[in-house]
Amino acid sequence: MLDLTRFAYYVPSLSFSFEHDMRARLQNLHLRAQSAFISLQNMSRYPCTSEDVPPIFVERYIIHGYRSLHKPWSYYWKSLFHKHNESINVWSHLTGILYMGYLFYYYNKRLNFFENSHSWPFAVSLSTAIIMFLCSAFAHLLHSKSEKIHLTCFSIDYLGVSLHGFGSGFLHIYYSAPEWYYNKIEYEYIFILLLFGILACFLNCFAQDYFSRPYPPLKRVCQFSGCAVLWMYSVIPLIARLFPLNFPLDSTLMCHFGQILFFIIGSILFGFDLPQRFCPGSLDFIGQGHQLFHLCIYLVTVLQMHGVYWDYEDKRTIIDQRTKPDLIFCAGSMLSLLLWNIVTVWYFRRRLREKNCHEK
């Protein structure tokens, strides 16, 4: 039975007036939040610092929370549930996998992927998004085992990035592009997109192979240029759709505008090591630019899927009158890019083995 006497004892002590010193309360709240944030940055379980690991594992302005090398695989798998400087990077994209899986189920019920051939580009893009999140999550989880594993993991990560860039463009041209643009460049667009996807993976793997720590700025230029060209080409249909930009935008155009904006913001934070550049060692666990970039990519993908679905709903009568997409064209283009990227990753891993043999 509820003890009302105890409840009555505490009620009088609660004050709902504004006579208290609000400034003191806010300062106290700020100190508690600051203390909690500092405790999150305390890397007690993985005490390795940037001085304890080889330079290839060191991220600029990230000092604490590195995992030890050459441990059993179980050490890295178990680190999924522990705190280190890659925890947020792993979980942000594991969450992406779960949400993209949910969207696959959700949109399949509405679009019927298995019978509606006009929905196949949507299924292709959802699949590439899941692959991208999967590659990234496991790259960040397992790369610390050794230098060879580190290079292999992030080569596979670049494969996923390339594949998702291709899937995004495939989605945009088929559902979101203005009809005049789609009719003018449909198949040529996909072919060029495929070439840019191969180029993005190749340049990232090449930069990783050619440059060594401490990396010169040219490495990032090489990596970013391939991804930037792929991304810019993939959003041309959206820009054609958005131009001229007349506010207020409806919900669909807001999604398209938002995904472009979030990608630019995330790329700037990642490319210029913001905000950890201004406070080295203070954002090792949470708040570093790479983590914010992951969050932006997650938002980009969510906005992309919802915006394009609404485009399909709005233009369904037009889209359904087009020539039905060929399954071999939809799945085959994705699989051909995947195959080319696997060959690229294999080639540069082979070069790595040869280098190690020569050094020995």
Side-chain angles (χ1 to χ4, degrees), residues 39-79:
S39 67
L40 282 174
Q41 303 297 340
N42 181 19
M43 303 295 177
S44 56
R45 188 172 185 89
Y46 295 98
C48 291
T49 68
S50 55
E51 297 179 355
D52 302 321
V53 296
I56 193 172
F57 296 96
V58 177
E59 294 296 327
R60 296 177 69 191
Y61 312 110
I62 305 299
I63 298 174
H64 306 96
Y66 291 93
R67 290 167 291 174
S68 301
L69 278 68
H70 308 301
K71 295 289 186 180
W73 280 110
S74 58
Y75 170 86
Y76 304 99
W77 286 108
K78 289 177 181 178
S79 71

Side-chain angles (χ1 to χ4, degrees), residues 40-329:
L40 282 174
Q41 303 297 340
N42 181 19
M43 303 295 177
S44 56
R45 188 172 185 89
Y46 295 98
C48 291
T49 68
S50 55
E51 297 179 355
D52 302 321
V53 296
I56 193 172
F57 296 96
V58 177
E59 294 296 327
R60 296 177 69 191
Y61 312 110
I62 305 299
I63 298 174
H64 306 96
Y66 291 93
R67 290 167 291 174
S68 301
L69 278 68
H70 308 301
K71 295 289 186 180
W73 280 110
S74 58
Y75 170 86
Y76 304 99
W77 286 108
K78 289 177 181 178
S79 71
L80 175 64
F81 304 103
H82 299 146
K83 184 171 64 177
H84 50 85
N85 59 24
E86 292 279 25
S87 297
I88 303 299
N89 287 330
V90 175
W91 278 103
S92 60
H93 278 185
L94 285 178
T95 305
I97 296 169
L98 295 175
Y99 191 68
M100 289 303 111
Y102 164 74
L103 288 185
F104 205 106
Y105 167 78
Y106 177 84
Y107 287 130
N108 180 47
K109 290 183 68 175
R110 284 153 181 78
L111 302 177
N112 195 359
F113 293 149
F114 296 100
E115 296 181 9
N116 177 14
S117 57
H118 290 289
S119 70
W120 288 344
F122 207 102
V124 166
S125 187
L126 277 167
S127 300
T128 60
I130 291 171
I131 293 171
M132 182 269 292
F133 283 129
L134 185 68
C135 291
S136 179
F138 286 104
H140 285 281
L141 179 65
L142 303 174
H143 75 93
S144 296
K145 183 171 175 61
S146 68
E147 294 189 22
K148 181 181 177 181
I149 295 297
H150 172 90
L151 294 171
T152 302
C153 280
F154 283 108
S155 293
I156 295 172
D157 187 19
Y158 304 144
L159 178 153
V161 170
S162 165
L163 206 61
H164 181 51
F166 172 80
S168 298
F170 204 166
L171 200 65
H172 296 156
I173 189 63
Y174 198 76
Y175 300 109
S176 298
E179 200 64 16
W180 63 266
Y181 187 78
Y182 173 82
N183 292 331
K184 185 177 181 180
I185 199 173
E186 176 193 2
Y187 290 105
E188 293 86 347
Y189 178 90
I190 298 299
F191 178 72
I192 296 171
L193 189 69
L194 183 64
L195 294 179
F196 282 150
I198 296 170
L199 179 66
C201 183
F202 178 84
L203 285 179
N204 275 278
C205 291
F206 169 78
Q208 186 187 63
D209 175 77
Y210 185 78
F211 298 102
S212 57
R213 296 276 187 176
Y215 293 134
L218 187 58
K219 177 181 183 284
R220 283 199 172 181
V221 172
C222 185
Q223 290 182 303
F224 272 61
S225 59
C227 293
V229 169
L230 176 61
W231 175 76
M232 286 189 291
Y233 189 73
S234 74
V235 297
I236 287 177
L238 296 186
I239 295 172
R241 172 82 191 283
L242 286 166
F243 185 82
L245 198 62
N246 296 321
F247 290 96
L249 303 175
D250 61 29
S251 56
T252 304
L253 294 180
M254 280 295 293
C255 282
H256 296 328
F257 181 73
Q259 70 152 302
I260 293 173
L261 183 63
F262 275 119
F263 187 89
I264 294 171
I265 292 172
S267 299
I268 292 172
L269 293 173
F270 177 48
F272 293 97
D273 299 308
L274 300 172
Q276 68 268 23
R277 174 184 291 270
F278 302 112
C279 46
S282 300
L283 302 171
D284 294 339
F285 175 69
I286 186 169
Q288 56 183 269
H290 201 133
Q291 296 166 353
L292 298 177
F293 175 68
H294 275 213
L295 176 62
C296 286
I297 293 300
Y298 175 80
L299 293 173
V300 164
T301 309
V302 171
L303 290 172
Q304 177 189 76
M305 295 303 170
H306 290 306
V308 170
Y309 172 73
W310 291 332
D311 273 334
Y312 185 26
E313 288 291 289
D314 291 339
K315 302 193 302 179
R316 191 155 192 165
T317 54
I318 299 174
I319 292 173
D320 288 348
Q321 290 174 1
R322 295 173 181 168
T323 303
K324 290 185 177 181
D326 187 77
L327 180 60
I328 296 177
F329 175 70

Side-chain angles (χ1 to χ4, degrees), residues 1-14:
M1 189 172 180
L2 182 63
D3 190 350
L4 296 177
T5 57
R6 292 183 66 184
F7 179 73
Y9 174 79
Y10 287 104
V11 169
S13 67
L14 299 175

